[in-house]
Amino acid sequence: MKHLKHLVSVLGVGAVLSLTINTQAAQAQVAYGSYVGIGPTVGLSDGTQLGGVLAARYKLLETPVSFRAQALIGQGTAVVPTVSYDLPINWQTDVYLGAGMVLTSGNTASPVGNKISFALQPGIDYVVPNSNTVIFGNAIIAFDAYRNGGGTALSLQGGVGLRF
């Protein structure tokens, strides 16, 4: 009986130690899923310009990197492809910073200028729990964005997307 008490104690301590040694801390993952979405855009440079945005995100699995593209349609049109680094905040939300280019059409200014330029894109994606719905928001900062005089262009976008 005395040996049985010691055996139970040793087994209990061993079980607790094995759980402690083999357990890894939980870490939030970048919100899963690629998506396409639509919403409004507001160009804040060269006067206020309202328009629409078509957005797409392709998430690389198991890495915090995404390929993104946005088409901004206002007085002029621009396509902004970027590569982003995604940082998870929790299971549904991640923030990101993308770098890419603004590709414009014509001489009429889009919400992000009228010249091919370098752009930074900070933003946030939120996946609505138990659904395929994504709510997104971002800014596009285009450097040397205007043909006549350069200058920086800023636009804000937001919208709703569908994960796939």
Side-chain angles (χ1 to χ4, degrees), residues 84-137:
S84 68
Y85 181 79
D86 307 325
L87 182 66
I89 295 177
N90 59 35
W91 293 104
Q92 287 86 26
T93 309
D94 59 64
V95 295
Y96 63 89
L97 178 60
M101 293 193 65
V102 173
L103 306 171
T104 62
S105 66
N107 289 327
T108 305
S110 72
V112 285
N114 63 357
K115 180 180 170 187
I116 294 174
S117 57
F118 173 75
L120 290 178
Q121 182 183 22
I124 187 167
D125 291 331
Y126 173 75
V127 178
V128 177
N130 302 316
S131 75
N132 286 331
T133 304
V134 176
I135 299 171
F136 66 91

